[in-house]
Amino acid sequence: MDSTADPKGKRPLYQEDGLAYARAAAAAASATAAAAPDEEEAKPKPKPSSSSEEAKPEPEAEDQAEMPPLVLVAEDGVEVSISRRAARMSHMLRLLMEDSCADGPIPAPNVHSDILDLVVQYCEKHGPYYDPEASERARNPFPPFPVELTPTVSSIKPVTYVDPDPHGLKDWDKDFISLDNSTLFEVILAANYLNIEDLLDLGTTTVADMMRGKKPEEIREIFEIENDYTPEQEAELRKENAWAFED
Amino acid sequence: MMLSLISFDILSRIPVKSLCRFRCVSKELYALIADPWFLAAHKSRTEPLLIVGSRQDSSLRLIDMDGSVVKVIGDVGSVCELICTSRDNLACVMTHTGDVKVIDLANGEVLVTLQWKDGLWGFGHTIPSNVYKVVYINGDTYEILTVGDSAGWRKMQLPPTSNISYCTIPVVVNGVLHLMLTSQFDGNSVLSFNLANEEWNKGIKCPPSVDLQKCDPELRELNNSLCMVQPVFQGYDRWTDIWLLTNPDKSTWVKIYAIPLDSSSFSRLIPLRLSCDDRKLLFCDTRESTNISKAQIYDSSRWRCGDAPKALDGAHDTNFSRCSLHLESFVLGKS
C-alpha cells in the first residue's frame, strides 16, 4: 500500500508498523523488566485488569487514574512518563494498555525527548476531558447537528447556548502550537506515530493555515523543496493558473 | 526533505486558490494536487465560499470565510435571484433582463441560458453523479432539464399533491429538491423530489410548532442540511426561529436559533453558515423597505448580532448564497 496515499486523507504515514513494533518491543521490555528492580518503587504494582473491563476503556478511566503512568522512551534514551488518562489520547497507547503490553517502557524511536515532552504535555492537558466519540464528531467538517441540544421554550433568548470551550482548551492550544516550524513538524510526526488524532489535527491545521496565501517560492523555502521546473515551464504554469495569483 | 509532511492531511485543508498556486512549486506537488484520491479528500474537506450577486455591478463575487474575495466573475448580468448551495460549483442566476443562466464558477462559462418565466425554479445536482438539473414548476407544468443534455426541457413526474406554496423557493439539499406545501398532505408539509431518479420521495413533516396556516416558513440550505426559517410573532415581539432538519427519514428538526429581529421593519432572513465550533450564525438580513441586504453574524453566547466582514456589505438588491469551488475543475481542465 502506498504509504502516503490514504484516501481519507486522515493519516499521512502508514500506521501498522509503529504499533506492531511498539507491541513487540514493549513485550520484550516487560519480560526483562520483571527481573530488574522497578524504578518507580513508590507506586503500587499495577493490578491485572479483569478481561471484562478491557473492552470498555471509558469506565476504566477511573481505575486508570490510580494505575502507574506509562513510560515512553525517546530516541535519545530519555524516559518520559505519561499518565494513563493522558495516554488514552494516543490510539496506539490505548491499544497497548488494553492488551496489557503497557507495563514496561514503550519505545518511541523516532521522537526526540524534547518533542515527546511537548506531546505528553498536550495529552496531559487534554486527557481529563477526552471523549473519543465527541472528538470524532467534531472532526467531521459537516457534522450532523448535535441532536442532544434541547430547544428551550423562552422567546427572545437564544435557544441553544452551549459554551463551546468550557475548559479554555482552545486558547491553550493556540499558545501550545505556536512553535517554530521544525519543532512543529516534529510534533506532527510524533502525533502521527503515536496516533493522537486531536494533536495531529491541531498540527496539520496550523501548518495548512500557515501555508495559505503564500507564494510558491515561500513554500519551497519552508519545506526545502527544489524547483524542478524550467523557467519556461514555470511561466506557463503561472499563466495557466493566473487567477490564483490575483489578489 | 520535508515533502512527506506536505501530505494529503495538510494539503487537503488548504483552499483551492492557494493550491492552484502551489502547483508551481514542484513537479511532485503538481502531481499530488492532481491525484484523484487527493481531489476527493479535498472536496470532502473544503469549506464552502460565499457567493454574492449584485444588481449593480453585474458580477458574482466568491468570498471566503475570512472575508477575502477569492474570485470575481464579471459580465453575468444584473442579478435578480441566485440559486446555489454549499456544495454547488455551478450557480443558477436570474437576471433582471429575464435570463436564467447556469454558470460554471470555476471559469465563468455560461453553460445554459434559458428564458425566465413566472413560477418556481429549482436548481441543484444529483448525488453521487454530480449532474446538474433545473426544475420549473407552475400550475400544471412540471418540467426538468439536465445541464449538458441537448434534449432540453422534459416532462417531470407529477407530485402527489398540487398544494405547493409559491411563497418560498425550492431548495436542493443532498440531491433532493424540497418544496413547501400550503397545507399538510398526509401529515407532511415538505415534498421531496430525488433529482437522480426523478421521483417524488416520501415527504417530510414540519417542526412541531410550525403552523402553515399562521405563517410562511421558508426553506433554505444551511451547512448542507435542510433548514426552515420561521418568523414568529408574539405580541410586540418578533423573532425568527431557525430549524435544522437532522433526520429526513424521521422528520426530526432541531431549533438551533431564535434570533431577535428589529420589530420596526419587516426583514427576510437568510441563514448562510453555522460555524460549528463557536455556534455563530452568519446570515443575511434584507429589509423589505429598503431592499438593503446586510450580512451579519449572530453570536448566541452574546445574544447579539454583529457585523460581518466588510467585503460582504451589500448595497441594494444583493443576493447572498453559498457555493464551492471544486479543485478538480482547475486541475483536470475542460474535457
Side-chain angles (χ1 to χ4, degrees):
Chain A
M1 187 185 188
D2 180 7
S3 60
T4 51
D6 179 356
K8 286 224 188 91
K10 286 280 171 203
R11 261 175 287 294
L13 303 171
Y14 195 49
Q15 273 308 296
E16 298 296 289
D17 289 338
L19 183 55
Y21 173 71
R23 268 205 175 109
S30 330
T32 53
D38 196 339
E39 274 183 47
E40 294 157 310
E41 286 154 338
K43 305 246 163 45
K45 286 228 183 300
K47 303 186 206 72
S49 28
S50 62
S51 52
S52 58
E53 280 182 284
E54 273 178 288
K56 298 191 223 82
E58 288 296 80
E60 215 177 272
E62 292 285 328
D63 270 8
Q64 283 180 352
E66 286 139 30
M67 293 175 84
L70 303 182
V71 174
L72 303 171
V73 184
E75 69 178 357
D76 45 336
V78 175
E79 290 186 348
V80 178
S81 69
I82 176 171
S83 72
R84 295 207 173 222
R85 181 180 292 186
R88 284 187 309 139
M89 295 200 69
S90 153
H91 189 64
M92 175 172 118
L93 295 179
R94 209 157 66 227
L95 288 178
L96 287 180
M97 290 195 285
E98 282 168 23
D99 288 352
S100 305
C101 297
D103 300 337
I106 298 162
N110 307 314
V111 188
H112 190 271
S113 54
D114 292 340
I115 305 295
L116 204 49
D117 275 336
L118 282 172
V119 172
V120 167
Q121 204 186 340
Y122 176 89
C123 294
E124 294 289 356
K125 178 73 184 177
H126 283 254
Y129 317 108
Y130 180 59
D131 171 8
E133 270 170 39
S135 192
E136 187 59 47
R137 265 205 314 266
R139 201 164 297 122
N140 184 342
F142 293 108
F145 204 84
V147 191
E148 67 263 14
L149 292 171
T150 47
T152 60
V153 177
S154 60
S155 59
I156 309 283
K157 279 187 197 169
V159 184
T160 59
Y161 171 53
V162 177
D163 183 355
D165 190 19
H167 308 287
L169 292 173
K170 278 239 163 68
D171 291 327
W172 188 91
D173 279 349
K174 221 166 126 191
D175 284 332
F176 173 80
I177 209 71
S178 36
L179 305 161
D180 61 274
N181 282 348
S182 60
T183 312
L184 177 56
F185 297 157
E186 295 291 329
V187 167
I188 291 176
L189 286 172
N192 184 68
Y193 178 79
L194 291 169
N195 205 337
I196 306 171
E197 293 262 19
D198 289 346
L199 181 55
L200 196 53
D201 275 349
L202 178 62
T204 51
T205 310
T206 308
V207 175
D209 286 343
M210 179 252 289
M211 287 174 76
R212 276 177 68 170
K214 290 222 162 35
K215 305 193 190 94
E217 311 78 78
E218 293 170 301
I219 298 295
R220 287 189 204 114
E221 203 187 302
I222 297 170
F223 295 95
E224 296 169 13
I225 300 174
E226 199 189 301
N227 183 0
D228 51 357
Y229 284 120
T230 66
E232 297 81 34
Q233 285 172 329
E234 193 180 332
E236 180 66 44
L237 271 178
R238 281 185 184 243
K239 210 171 79 171
E240 212 179 280
N241 295 285
W243 79 280
F245 288 90
E246 287 164 24
D247 243 322
Chain B
M1 173 67 138
M2 297 204 239
L3 188 59
S4 60
L5 286 169
I6 314 183
S7 55
F8 271 46
D9 226 339
I10 295 177
L11 284 178
S12 62
R13 294 166 201 263
I14 295 179
V16 172
K17 198 171 187 177
S18 291
L19 283 181
C20 285
R21 274 206 299 275
F22 298 168
R23 300 173 77 202
C24 304
V25 169
S26 77
K27 291 182 183 170
E28 195 170 343
L29 213 47
Y30 181 95
L32 179 55
I33 291 174
D35 186 290
W37 269 351
F38 176 74
L39 293 175
H42 186 268
K43 194 173 183 179
S44 68
R45 260 208 160 120
T46 196
E47 167 88 41
L49 300 168
L50 267 174
I51 178 171
V52 182
S54 96
R55 177 184 192 151
Q56 263 123 336
D57 52 28
S58 298
S59 67
L60 293 176
R61 279 179 294 149
L62 306 187
I63 302 176
D64 69 18
M65 283 302 130
D66 297 329
S68 8
V69 178
V70 171
K71 199 169 207 286
V72 178
I73 299 174
D75 283 332
V76 164
S78 109
V79 179
C80 173
E81 197 75 50
L82 184 61
I83 308 181
C84 200
T85 59
S86 296
R87 299 269 174 106
D88 288 335
N89 64 337
L90 302 190
C92 181
V93 175
M94 284 158 202
T95 65
H96 280 102
T97 48
D99 291 324
V100 176
K101 298 183 188 178
V102 175
I103 299 179
D104 186 340
L105 298 175
N107 53 24
E109 193 186 321
V110 177
L111 300 173
V112 177
T113 307
L114 301 163
Q115 186 61 37
W116 186 81
K117 355 177 220 190
D118 202 9
L120 288 178
W121 289 80
F123 173 75
H125 65 263
T126 63
I127 301 274
S129 16
N130 229 53
V131 172
Y132 282 83
K133 299 189 181 177
V134 185
V135 166
Y136 172 73
I137 295 173
N138 190 15
D140 295 327
T141 312
Y142 288 82
E143 296 179 323
I144 187 166
L145 178 151
T146 305
V147 175
D149 181 1
S150 51
W153 290 110
R154 298 172 280 117
K155 287 239 177 311
M156 208 168 111
Q157 187 189 60
L158 293 180
T161 170
S162 53
N163 283 352
I164 298 190
S165 162
Y166 285 76
C167 298
T168 168
I169 54 172
V171 170
V172 175
V173 175
N174 288 323
V176 177
L177 177 80
H178 302 273
L179 291 173
M180 207 61 227
L181 294 176
T182 51
S183 53
Q184 285 191 3
F185 174 75
D186 237 4
N188 296 322
S189 315
V190 175
L191 279 188
S192 318
F193 178 77
N194 186 323
L195 284 179
N197 61 17
E198 297 188 11
E199 284 173 5
W200 294 91
N201 288 346
K202 89 179 171 105
I204 301 174
K205 299 187 192 340
C206 251
S209 65
V210 174
D211 183 349
L212 293 181
Q213 318 297 71
K214 290 205 184 121
C215 71
D216 277 325
E218 283 195 336
L219 290 177
R220 297 282 171 195
E221 177 258 345
L222 182 62
N223 284 39
N224 218 43
S225 298
L226 187 67
C227 170
M228 191 177 287
V229 179
Q230 177 204 1
V232 184
F233 307 82
Q234 219 173 63
Y236 288 111
D237 292 332
R238 294 191 69 238
W239 69 90
T240 305
D241 278 346
I242 301 191
W243 298 82
L244 212 60
L245 182 68
T246 52
N247 189 330
D249 294 323
K250 297 194 186 146
S251 296
T252 316
W253 296 83
V254 173
K255 190 195 294 192
I256 53 172
Y257 286 101
I259 300 187
L261 285 181
D262 177 3
S263 49
S264 62
S265 55
F266 294 103
S267 315
R268 188 182 71 168
L269 191 149
I270 302 175
L272 291 169
R273 175 203 184 234
L274 176 61
S275 144
C276 295
D277 34 330
D278 53 12
R279 298 279 187 265
K280 288 194 181 142
L281 179 75
L282 177 68
F283 67 93
C284 167
D285 181 18
T286 308
R287 295 289 147 93
E288 220 147 42
S289 47
T290 55
N291 241 352
I292 293 183
S293 304
K294 204 159 192 292
Q296 295 187 76
I297 295 182
Y298 181 64
D299 186 345
S300 61
S301 63
R302 292 186 174 75
W303 301 1
R304 85 180 132 84
C305 296
D307 286 338
K310 274 270 156 231
L312 304 178
D313 260 354
H316 292 261
D317 272 348
T318 306
N319 288 274
F320 286 81
S321 193
R322 308 294 315 276
C323 69
S324 275
L325 279 181
H326 292 179
L327 184 55
E328 59 201 23
S329 324
F330 298 95
V331 158
L332 301 179
K334 302 292 294 168
S335 49

